[in-house]
Amino acid sequence: MGGYSSKEASCSQPPPTRASTNSSGGNHLSTQRTAESTQIPRDGSIVDVLTSVDVGKSCKQDIEPPPTKSPIGSHSSTQPVQVKRDGHVDVDKYQQIFKTYYAKLCDALPTENVLPQLVSREVITIDEMDDVLAEKTRLRQARALLNGPIWRAISGGYPEAFITLLHVLRDTRSCKGLCEDICANLNISAKDEGDVSCEESFCSQSTVSMSTYRENLKCKYELLPLSSPEELLECRSSEYVNLFLTKFDERSKRNKEQLVSGQWDSILKEHSCLSSHAEGTRLDSEPLTLADVLDVKGEKKKVVLIEGGPGMGKSTLAIKICKCWAKGELLQEYDAVILLPLRDPEIQEAKSIKDLLLILDEELNEEVYKEIIKSGGERICFLLEGFDELPDELRKAPVFAKLTEKLPKCTLVYTSRPESCDQLRHCVTRRIEIRGFKEEQVDEYINNAFDKVEDGKEKAVKLISQLKTNPLIRNIMYIPINVAIVCHLFLLNSLVPNTLTQLYTLLCLNLILRHITKHNSSKVDYLDSLDDLPMEIAGQFDQLCLIAYRGRQDNKIVFSSLELKGYGIDASDVSGLGLLMIAPSTSVYGREKSYNFLHLTVQEFCAAFHISKLPAKEQCECFKKYQLTDSFQMIWRFYSGMTGLGKKDILDHMLPSKWVKSDYRRRRTIELLHCVYEAQNVELCHVVGDHLEGSIDLRFCRLDQISCSALGYLLQQYRGALKLVNLKWCKIDDDSCEILLSSLLRNSYSSKLKLILADNKLTEKSCSIIASSLASFTKLDIGWNELSKSIDRIFTSLHHNTALTELLLGKSSLRSSDMQLVAQMLTSNDTISVLDIRQNEIGAEGCQYLVECKDISLTKLTMWNCGLGVVGAGTIGEVLSNNKSIEHIDLGENSIGDSGVERLVEHLKCNNTIKHLGLCDNNITSSGADHLRKLFTSNHCSVNSIELSDNPLKDEGLDLILQSISVTMEHVGIHGTGMTSSCSSVSTALHKIKSIKFTLPDNCDHINNSLANTTVLEELVLYDGSDVAYHTMISGISRNSSINRLWFSGGHLDHPTVSYLVQVIKLSKTITELHLSDVDIAPSDCLLLSDVLSVNSVVKEISMLCKYEQSPDQSLVLKFLKKLNCTLEVLSLSVTLEAEYDNQFIREVEMLVAEHNQSDGVTTPLHVELL
C-alpha cells in the first residue's frame, strides 16, 4: 500500500483516469479481476484499465491505489446502472463525476460505519477492508477506500460498487446531501431500490442514529468468526451434535433441562430445538427455541447468566446469539444487541456506557448514547461475554457493576465460568448452564470428525472402543473442546491420554512439533516431553509460559504485539509455537492486532508449567498467594498433574479445615479431589480420605462429570473406612451416578457407607447400577429423583439384602401400585428399619398393600403428603394394629381431618408400640382433638410424642389434648394451632412434657410462672413472639433449673431483650444449647451475645443469624470467635456476606478455630458451621 508524507496528507486529488508506465520504476498494480467475477465484457479498453494504473510523480498525482488481494464481489443489491454509451457502461461519465466529488467524499466518508456494510454487500472483501483499516487516520482510510477498490471498480466498468457506496452513505447524516447531489448528476435514484432503508425495515420508533447503529452492528456480527480452536487443530465435525443447557430454578432448588441442537463450534442451528425437563415430568415433545430461554419479558430485572466450565463453548454461544440477531432470527424485540467480550482491553478500558458502544464517530456515538440513556436502556441488550475473564477490580467498576442502575430497562446477558459467578447470582433473573455432550453425542462427534479421513470409519470405531475401556479420559469427554483435542491427537498418533494434564501436554507437544516442521530448518520427528524441547524452542516455550502466568496474575488474556515483544516473542510470527492466535474482537476499526492463546485452558496449562519450574520455596509462596483465586483453579489442577503434589507444604494448605463446615469448604474439597485425580497419586487418596475422616460432604455443590470422576478416583483408591458420602442436590445425572457407583463397587472397604443422592437428576437409567450396589450401603437416600419406571429393580435387590437399614425415597414418583413392591420387599427383608416415602402419590389404595406386613423389621415410617385422606388414615391404622415393630410414624399433610383421626385412633387403641405420632397440617379441629384425648386416656396408649403443629385446634382443642396427658411426654408440638392467652392448659402441661414448641401469645404471664416451677421441661422452642412476650419468657427461664435446650424462632429480639437474655445465659448452670438462627437480631447484639462465651462454661452449642443490612462487617463475627471459651463444642453461624468476601473471610475463621482447638485446655474440639 502506498505511503503518505505529511505534505501529501493535505492533498485530496483524485487518481488519474488512465494508467501509464512509470519509467522511474514506480509501483504497478494488477487487480487480477476476471471477466466472470466482475461480469463485464472482455473489451480491450477495459482490459487496459484493469492491468495497469500509473502512480503519479507530483503532489497532484501521488495517491496510488492500494493492491487488492482478492476480487471484489460480483453481487450488488442495486439496480442496473442507467448511464451507458453505445450499449456499454459509460465509464468516463462515472470517472468524471467521481473526480469531481472526490475531495468532498474524502472529507465526509465515515469509514468505520461504511466498511462493514460494503463487505456484507460484497462490494469489498475482508482483506481489502483490513488494508483500509491499516491506515492510521480516517482521512487516509477514506482515500485508501476511494483510490483502491472503488476506483478500480469504476475504471473496470463496474460502477455498481460506487452506487452501493452512495446508498450506504445516504443513511449517514453527514453525507446525505452530498450523496443526493452525486446521484442527481448520475441520473440515478438516491434510494437503494434493492434494499429497504433502515427506517422502513426496522421499527418506526427507532431514530436514524439508532437505525444506523443497528445496521453497523449487524454488519459487524456477520463478519465475526465463530472462534473455535478445533479449526486450528484441523479436526472439525461438520455435522450438528447435541449440547445441553440447564435452566436453574433457585426458588425450589430444582431445574429444567433443555436440549439445544447445534454444532459445537456454532452451538445453535437455524431452528434450534430445546426440550424441557420440568420437575417430575419429561416434556421432550415440546420444542423450545433459544429465544424462549432468554425471554425475560415481564421481569423487573432482566439479567440472564449463562454458566459453563472451560471449553464448553460460552464464547461461541455469545457470538452465535449476535449472529442470529443480525440475521433476524433471534431477539428482534431489541434495537441493539451489544456484544462486549470482557477480555478485550478496549472494553476493559471503558469508563462509561458511551465507551461500551464502540462507535468512533463522535457525533453518532453521542446521539446513540443520549437515546439509550433517555429510554433507560429499553430495547437494548448487552451481552457481557466472559465475566470470569474480567479482572477482579473491574468487576466492581461502575461501568460494569451498575449498568442496571443507569439503564434499569436494559437486558444483561452474562457468560462465565461457574466459580466466578458468585457476584452475579444474587441479581440474575435466570441462570442457564451449558452442560456439554452425552456419551452418544461424543460418539456422533467422533464419527463426524473422522468422516472424511482415510480409514476414518475404522479409526472412529477404534477410538470409541478405547474410550470405553478408559474411564478416566472418557469422563472428561463431555466437554466439547476435549473431544476435539482427543480426535486431533488420535488422528496424529493414535494416542489417548488419561488425564487433562496428559491431554494438554500431548496437545502442546504436537502443536510445537507442527510449528517446528513448518518453520525450522532442523528436522525433528518426535518430541517426547516439554522438559526436553530443543534449546531454541525451549526458550520460546518458557517465555510463553511466563506470559501465560503473568496474564493469569493480572486476569489478562489478550496480549498486544508490544507486550509479546517485551517477552522476546516476535509478533510477526503470530503462531507462538502454534499456541497463539490472533485475538478475535467485536471492533472492526483500525486497531493494533492483539493475540491470545488458542484457548484459556491452554494459557492455564502453560501458567502451571511455569509455576512447576520455579524453586520449591517460590512454588509454595505462589500457592499460598493464589490458592483462593478463582482464575487459578485450573492452574492448580494442571500443576498437580505435572508435579504429583509431592510437596507437603502445598498439600497441607490444600486440605480443607476439619472443624469449619461451609460451602467454601465443600468447594475446596472438590478442588482438592480434582488435584488428586490429576496427580494420579494413590497415596494422596489415603491422606485425603483420612483427613476427611471417611466422610465426604459435598451437598449443594454442583458436580459435573469431571468432578464425579475425581471423587470416584478417591472412592476407588481409598482403603480406609468410608462412613458417609453426601451428594444431595449436586445435579448428578445418570452418567455421573454410574461413574461414582462403579468406583464404589471396586472398593471393598465401603460396606457400611451412608450414601445420599437425593434431589439430583437421576432417572430410571440409574436403577440398575444402584440395585447392584446396595450391598455396600447401610443408608441410601435417592429421593427427589425420577426413578419410578424402573424402581422395581431396587426393591427386588433388597429382598434378601442384609446391609441396608435406612431407605429414603421421598418424591420418587411412586404410585399406589408400587406399594405392592414395597410390601414384598419389607416382608422378605430383615434389616430395613427406616422407610421414608413422603411426597409420593400413594393414596389409600397404595396403603392397602401394607396391611399384610406384620412380622417386619421396620421401626420408623414416614408418609408425609402421600394423599392418604380419611380412608388412607384408617388403612394406616389397620397396618399399625397388625404391626408390632413400628415405633415412629409421620402422617403430616395428608388431609386426614377429624374423621381420619377417629379411624386412626380406633386402631391405635390396640397398639402398644407406637411412641411418636406425627399429624402436622391435617386440618384437625377440636373434634379430632377429642378423639386424641380418648387415645391418651386409654390403658394401652404408648404414644409419648405427638406433633400437631399447623392444625386449627384453637384453645378448645388444645385444652382437650393437654389436659388428657397423664404421663410424662417426650415431645409435644403445637406451633401454629391458634393458641391464645386464654389457653391455661399449657401452663399445667409444662410439668408433664420434656420438650414443647408453641407460638407465644401476646400475654404469657401464666406460662412464665409455670416455667419457673417445672422440673421436667428440658427443651423449649418458642415461635413468633413479640419483644414483650420474649422478654416475659426469658424472665421465667431465668428461674428455671431444668431447661438445657432453648430455641427462639421467628420474630425479632430487640436490644433490651438480647441484653436480658445474655445476663440470664451468663448465670445459667443448665442451658447447654442456645439456638437463635431463625430470629432477627441486630449485628451489634450478635457481638453482645459473644460475652456469654467469655463467662459461661456450660454452653456447648450456639446457633445464630448474623444479619447485615449493607456490606458485611466481618469484624463482628471475628470478634465473636475470639471470645470462644474452652467448653463450646458447636457453633453454627448463618452469616450474610457479600460474595467477594466469602473466601478470605472463611479462611480467617478457619485460622481462628484451628488456633482455638490447638490451645491448652481444649479437650473437645470446636466445630463451626457457616451457613
Side-chain angles (χ1 to χ4, degrees):
M1 178 171 288
Y4 297 88
S5 67
S6 58
K7 179 180 179 180
E8 294 167 345
S10 63
C11 299
S12 296
Q13 298 296 326
T17 304
R18 277 291 181 187
S20 63
T21 303
N22 185 343
S23 61
S24 63
N27 294 327
H28 289 66
L29 169 69
S30 174
T31 62
Q32 304 294 320
R33 184 185 300 281
T34 64
E36 180 180 356
S37 66
T38 57
Q39 299 182 355
I40 58 177
R42 292 184 178 273
D43 181 276
S45 61
I46 294 178
V47 171
D48 291 340
V49 172
L50 289 176
T51 56
S52 179
V53 178
D54 178 45
V55 180
K57 302 177 183 178
S58 65
C59 181
K60 294 183 179 181
Q61 294 179 317
D62 60 2
I63 305 174
E64 73 176 276
T68 183
K69 297 182 182 179
S70 58
I72 297 174
S74 59
H75 172 73
S76 174
S77 59
T78 60
Q79 296 297 310
V81 178
Q82 303 296 322
V83 182
K84 295 185 178 181
R85 184 184 61 190
D86 300 330
H88 297 288
V89 175
D90 191 344
V91 175
D92 292 339
K93 175 72 171 177
Y94 274 92
Q95 289 178 336
Q96 185 62 41
I97 292 177
F98 178 83
K99 289 190 290 183
T100 301
Y101 288 95
Y102 176 78
K104 292 182 179 180
L105 284 170
C106 285
D107 291 337
L109 199 150
T111 51
E112 61 159 309
N113 298 330
V114 169
L115 289 171
Q117 296 190 54
L118 293 180
V119 172
S120 68
R121 297 180 186 223
E122 300 182 13
V123 173
I124 64 175
T125 66
I126 294 179
D127 286 340
E128 287 172 326
M129 181 181 70
D130 289 340
D131 287 337
V132 172
L133 291 175
E135 298 294 341
K136 296 182 178 180
T137 67
R138 187 206 58 79
L139 180 60
R140 288 184 176 183
Q141 290 175 355
R143 288 173 177 169
L145 173 64
L146 294 173
N147 294 346
I150 301 301
W151 174 252
R152 288 195 300 272
I154 294 174
S155 300
Y158 184 70
E160 286 90 344
F162 184 38
I163 296 173
T164 302
L165 172 64
L166 296 177
H167 288 157
V168 170
L169 290 175
R170 191 191 69 83
D171 290 327
T172 303
R173 182 172 302 179
S174 60
C175 299
K176 185 174 183 181
L178 176 62
C179 291
E180 290 176 349
D181 290 343
I182 298 174
C183 290
N185 281 307
L186 288 172
N187 194 27
I188 63 173
S189 172
K191 181 178 180 180
D192 186 350
E193 298 175 8
D195 283 331
V196 181
S197 66
C198 294
E199 293 91 339
E200 295 172 335
S201 64
F202 186 47
C203 304
S204 59
Q205 64 259 43
S206 295
T207 65
V208 174
S209 299
M210 184 58 72
S211 298
T212 302
Y213 183 47
R214 175 186 174 93
E215 294 305 313
N216 290 345
L217 286 175
K218 281 185 175 182
C219 297
K220 186 189 304 183
Y221 295 154
E222 289 175 2
L223 299 177
L224 278 179
L226 282 167
S227 56
S228 172
E230 56 182 353
E231 295 178 4
L232 299 170
L233 299 176
E234 300 174 354
C235 177
R236 178 178 178 179
S237 171
S238 59
E239 300 294 333
Y240 284 92
V241 293
N242 292 325
L243 287 167
F244 286 84
L245 298 182
T246 301
K247 177 182 175 182
F248 293 80
D249 184 352
E250 289 291 355
R251 288 169 293 184
S252 62
K253 285 206 168 182
R254 301 294 296 165
N255 47 52
K256 299 176 182 179
E257 182 183 85
Q258 300 172 319
L259 172 64
V260 178
S261 177
Q263 196 173 14
W264 117 249
D265 65 336
S266 62
I267 301 294
L268 301 170
K269 202 172 180 180
E270 180 175 358
H271 299 289
S272 298
C273 184
L274 291 81
S275 62
S276 127
H277 174 193
E279 183 177 338
T281 309
R282 288 199 177 278
L283 302 172
D284 294 331
S285 60
E286 297 185 15
L288 301 172
T289 64
L290 186 61
D292 296 323
V293 176
L294 299 176
D295 184 12
V296 289
K297 295 176 183 176
E299 300 284 352
K300 290 184 178 180
K301 290 194 303 183
K302 301 178 181 181
V303 184
V304 178
L305 172 60
I306 300 176
E307 300 178 35
M312 282 296 193
K314 301 180 293 296
S315 301
T316 307
L317 175 61
I319 294 174
K320 188 60 180 181
I321 289 172
C322 293
K323 283 181 169 289
C324 288
W325 172 77
K327 293 177 181 178
E329 300 169 355
L330 188 67
L331 301 176
Q332 293 305 289
E333 65 271 23
Y334 294 104
D335 288 359
V337 174
I338 304 172
L339 177 61
L340 302 174
L342 298 179
R343 72 183 69 85
D344 193 325
E346 186 174 346
I347 293 173
Q348 292 183 6
E349 293 168 2
K351 302 299 181 184
S352 66
I353 294 174
K354 188 187 298 186
D355 297 335
L356 297 179
L357 302 180
L358 297 176
I359 306 175
L360 293 184
D361 185 314
E362 294 183 4
E363 181 181 358
L364 179 63
N365 193 26
E366 184 66 25
E367 291 175 356
V368 173
Y369 170 70
K370 287 181 178 179
E371 184 173 340
I372 291 175
I373 292 295
K374 183 178 179 180
S375 68
E378 189 174 11
R379 299 174 60 82
I380 301 296
C381 176
F382 290 97
L383 209 168
L384 297 99
E385 188 267 311
F387 185 77
D388 55 300
E389 298 168 2
L390 192 65
D392 292 340
E393 64 275 9
L394 290 182
R395 295 178 190 177
K396 306 171 192 176
V399 66
F400 299 113
K402 297 184 178 181
L403 264 176
T404 52
E405 292 182 17
K406 297 180 179 180
L407 301 174
K409 296 182 181 180
C410 77
T411 297
L412 302 182
V413 179
Y414 290 91
T415 70
S416 179
R417 288 187 180 183
E419 62 267 20
S420 301
C421 292
D422 287 346
Q423 185 178 335
L424 297 175
R425 286 177 182 142
H426 70 283
C427 65
V428 298
T429 304
R430 64 180 60 187
R431 291 166 59 195
I432 306 293
E433 182 188 19
I434 303 176
R435 302 195 62 200
F437 290 156
K438 296 288 186 179
E439 184 174 354
E440 56 270 23
Q441 280 78 51
V442 173
D443 294 350
E444 180 184 351
Y445 185 100
I446 294 172
N447 285 318
N448 292 337
F450 289 13
D451 185 43
K452 296 182 180 180
V453 177
E454 185 179 354
D455 299 328
K457 188 174 181 180
E458 180 181 336
K459 291 180 179 178
V461 171
K462 184 177 179 181
L463 174 57
I464 293 171
S465 176
Q466 287 194 29
L467 290 175
K468 289 182 178 179
T469 59
N470 188 342
L472 290 175
I473 198 66
R474 182 189 66 198
N475 296 336
I476 64 173
M477 293 289 279
Y478 74 100
I479 299 177
I481 193 173
N482 290 347
V483 184
I485 294 173
V486 168
C487 290
H488 169 73
L489 295 175
F490 194 79
L491 281 173
L492 289 176
N493 47 30
S494 300
L495 289 176
V496 177
N498 288 325
T499 65
L500 276 175
T501 306
Q502 295 177 16
L503 181 70
Y504 278 84
T505 299
L506 288 172
L507 172 65
C508 290
L509 285 171
N510 278 278
L511 291 175
I512 293 172
L513 179 61
R514 189 169 71 180
H515 171 83
I516 294 174
T517 303
K518 183 177 181 181
H519 296 280
N520 290 44
S521 57
S522 57
K523 189 172 182 180
V524 179
D525 296 325
Y526 181 74
L527 294 177
D528 182 58
S529 168
L530 292 173
D531 293 321
D532 298 322
L533 296 174
M535 185 175 297
E536 67 278 9
I537 298 298
Q540 294 182 54
F541 182 67
D542 289 343
Q543 290 301 105
L544 281 172
C545 292
L546 176 59
I547 293 173
Y549 172 67
R550 294 280 172 79
R552 296 318 291 145
Q553 279 183 313
D554 301 330
N555 217 343
K556 188 178 183 64
I557 296 172
V558 180
F559 306 91
S560 67
S561 302
L562 188 61
E563 288 172 318
L564 293 179
K565 189 175 182 181
Y567 289 100
I569 304 297
D570 185 1
S572 62
D573 176 16
V574 298
S575 65
L577 298 182
L579 303 177
L580 293 179
M581 61 183 286
I582 298 176
S585 173
T586 53
S587 176
V588 296
Y589 314 126
R591 194 188 81 182
E592 182 185 7
K593 290 181 179 179
S594 54
Y595 308 90
N596 56 247
F597 286 83
L598 295 186
H599 193 272
L600 177 56
T601 317
V602 176
Q603 181 179 349
E604 290 166 324
F605 176 85
C606 292
F609 188 86
H610 173 78
I611 296 173
S612 70
K613 299 307 174 186
L614 293 173
K617 185 177 180 180
E618 292 184 29
Q619 291 183 38
C620 293
E621 291 174 352
C622 180
F623 181 82
K624 292 176 184 178
K625 184 175 181 180
Y626 295 109
Q627 178 189 6
L628 307 179
T629 305
D630 290 337
S631 58
F632 270 67
Q633 282 190 1
M634 281 299 299
I635 293 175
W636 296 128
R637 295 183 194 180
F638 284 132
Y639 172 85
S640 302
M642 295 171 183
T643 64
L645 275 184
K647 295 178 175 59
K648 186 177 183 303
D649 288 345
I650 291 181
L651 178 61
D652 289 344
H653 276 83
M654 279 189 172
L655 294 172
S657 171
K658 289 183 179 181
W659 304 302
V660 179
K661 293 183 179 180
S662 63
D663 287 340
Y664 167 69
R665 178 185 187 269
R666 289 187 276 271
R667 292 196 301 269
R668 277 184 62 190
T669 301
I670 293 174
E671 283 307 308
L672 175 61
L673 294 175
H674 278 289
C675 292
V676 172
Y677 175 76
E678 287 296 320
Q680 291 291 292
N681 187 331
V682 175
E683 183 59 33
L684 284 179
C685 294
H686 305 322
V687 173
V688 173
D690 289 342
H691 178 81
L692 297 175
E693 298 176 341
S695 296
I696 300 173
D697 183 0
L698 301 177
R699 54 188 158 159
F700 304 117
C701 292
R702 291 174 295 153
L703 298 181
D704 54 21
Q705 286 189 28
I706 292 184
S707 299
C708 289
S709 299
L711 174 57
Y713 179 72
L714 178 76
L715 296 177
Q716 179 178 338
Q717 301 296 337
Y718 182 54
R719 293 298 176 259
L722 283 171
K723 302 174 184 176
L724 170 70
V725 176
N726 188 348
L727 304 178
K728 180 178 181 179
W729 203 84
C730 289
K731 297 181 63 183
I732 295 172
D733 58 12
D734 296 320
D735 295 335
S736 298
C737 180
E738 182 178 0
I739 293 170
L740 291 170
L741 296 184
S742 297
S743 300
L744 282 171
L745 285 174
R746 299 188 188 99
N747 187 327
S748 58
Y749 294 82
S750 60
S751 58
K752 295 183 179 181
L753 176 67
K754 294 181 179 180
L755 179 64
I756 301 175
L757 291 171
D759 209 359
N760 281 290
K761 299 179 70 64
L762 307 183
T763 70
E764 61 272 11
K765 294 180 182 179
S766 294
C767 287
S768 296
I769 186 68
I770 292 174
S772 63
S773 309
L774 290 173
S776 301
F777 313 133
T778 58
K779 176 181 178 179
L780 178 64
D781 183 355
I782 50 176
W784 279 264
N785 287 294
E786 300 286 333
L787 303 174
S788 60
K789 294 182 181 179
S790 302
I791 204 167
D792 56 312
R793 300 176 187 175
I794 294 176
F795 292 134
T796 302
S797 298
L798 285 171
H799 279 198
H800 302 289
N801 179 282
T802 58
L804 198 69
T805 60
E806 298 181 51
L807 179 61
L808 287 74
L809 296 170
K811 201 167 187 178
S812 297
S813 299
L814 294 179
R815 299 153 296 185
S816 56
S817 58
D818 293 324
M819 291 305 293
Q820 182 177 9
L821 301 173
V822 173
Q824 293 171 355
M825 179 266 295
L826 290 174
T827 302
S828 60
N829 184 285
D830 296 329
T831 58
I832 293 180
S833 58
V834 176
L835 178 63
D836 188 334
I837 50 176
R838 70 182 70 197
Q839 291 190 275
N840 287 291
E841 291 297 325
I842 293 171
E845 182 181 351
C847 295
Q848 194 64 45
Y849 292 107
L850 298 177
V851 173
E852 300 302 320
C853 296
K854 298 179 181 180
D855 298 325
I856 60 177
S857 57
L858 198 66
T859 60
K860 182 177 180 180
L861 176 63
T862 300
M863 298 185 68
W864 184 286
N865 189 18
C866 288
L868 302 184
V870 175
V871 177
T875 305
I876 289 296
E878 187 178 352
V879 172
L880 296 177
S881 65
N882 296 332
N883 184 278
K884 305 302 179 184
S885 64
I886 298 177
E887 299 177 350
H888 181 117
I889 189 164
D890 194 338
L891 304 175
E893 202 175 334
N894 272 296
S895 302
I896 290 174
D898 297 331
S899 299
V901 171
E902 181 180 10
R903 296 190 184 191
L904 181 63
V905 165
E906 285 303 313
H907 291 287
L908 285 177
K909 288 179 179 179
C910 303
N911 179 290
N912 58 5
T913 58
I914 288 291
K915 291 181 171 54
H916 175 82
L917 180 61
L919 296 173
C920 283
D921 198 7
N922 269 300
N923 199 29
I924 301 172
T925 68
S926 58
S927 177
D930 189 47
H931 296 300
L932 290 171
R933 177 189 63 79
K934 296 175 183 178
L935 173 65
F936 288 133
T937 55
S938 65
N939 294 329
H940 298 286
C941 178
S942 59
V943 176
N944 62 9
S945 174
I946 189 167
E947 187 58 68
L948 293 168
S949 295
D950 298 315
N951 283 295
L953 294 170
K954 308 296 184 182
D955 291 345
E956 181 184 357
L958 290 172
D959 287 339
L960 287 171
I961 294 173
L962 296 177
Q963 290 173 4
S964 66
I965 297 176
S966 58
V967 296
T968 300
M969 297 282 286
E970 292 293 326
H971 173 77
V972 173
I974 50 176
H975 159 58
T977 54
M979 184 179 74
T980 70
S981 303
S982 302
C983 184
S984 59
S985 58
V986 174
S987 303
T988 306
L990 292 178
H991 297 277
K992 302 176 183 178
I993 300 173
K994 290 184 178 181
S995 171
I996 188 170
K997 69 174 183 179
F998 59 90
T999 305
L1000 277 177
D1002 293 335
N1003 187 336
C1004 50
D1005 289 339
H1006 57 297
I1007 303 177
N1008 171 29
N1009 295 329
S1010 295
L1011 277 178
N1013 299 320
T1014 180
T1015 58
V1016 175
L1017 189 65
E1018 297 177 358
E1019 182 178 44
L1020 178 62
V1021 185
L1022 304 175
Y1023 276 86
D1024 301 327
S1026 63
D1027 290 330
V1028 174
Y1030 278 139
H1031 198 283
T1032 302
M1033 293 300 293
I1034 293 172
S1035 175
I1037 294 169
S1038 67
R1039 294 173 286 156
N1040 179 279
S1041 59
S1042 63
I1043 297 175
N1044 53 53
R1045 301 185 303 278
L1046 180 60
W1047 301 70
F1048 291 84
S1049 184
H1052 173 76
L1053 292 181
D1054 61 11
H1055 178 71
T1057 305
V1058 173
S1059 299
Y1060 189 23
L1061 177 62
V1062 168
Q1063 296 302 317
V1064 170
I1065 302 297
K1066 278 183 178 181
L1067 301 175
S1068 174
K1069 301 298 182 183
T1070 58
I1071 296 178
T1072 59
E1073 295 181 20
L1074 176 61
H1075 299 279
L1076 304 167
S1077 58
D1078 293 322
V1079 64
D1080 284 344
I1081 302 176
S1084 57
D1085 290 336
C1086 291
L1087 186 58
L1088 185 63
L1089 278 165
S1090 66
D1091 292 340
V1092 173
L1093 302 178
S1094 61
V1095 178
N1096 184 288
S1097 60
V1098 177
V1099 175
K1100 304 291 184 184
E1101 181 173 349
I1102 292 180
S1103 65
M1104 68 177 191
L1105 171 66
C1106 299
K1107 186 175 181 181
Y1108 302 102
E1109 299 295 335
Q1110 304 297 328
S1111 61
D1113 185 355
Q1114 298 170 25
S1115 61
L1116 292 177
V1117 179
L1118 298 178
K1119 287 177 182 178
F1120 188 98
L1121 291 171
K1122 290 176 181 178
K1123 293 188 177 183
L1124 298 173
N1125 62 27
C1126 295
T1127 61
L1128 191 67
E1129 297 176 3
V1130 178
L1131 176 62
S1132 296
L1133 298 174
S1134 297
V1135 185
T1136 304
L1137 287 174
E1138 295 288 340
E1140 60 263 33
Y1141 293 102
D1142 277 353
N1143 293 355
Q1144 189 58 43
F1145 166 72
I1146 295 174
R1147 190 70 175 142
E1148 291 184 47
V1149 172
E1150 290 178 347
M1151 293 172 63
L1152 280 173
V1153 174
E1155 182 181 346
H1156 168 82
N1157 288 340
Q1158 294 167 5
S1159 61
D1160 296 336
V1162 176
T1163 55
T1164 304
L1166 168 68
H1167 288 79
V1168 175
E1169 184 166 11
L1170 299 174
L1171 305 174

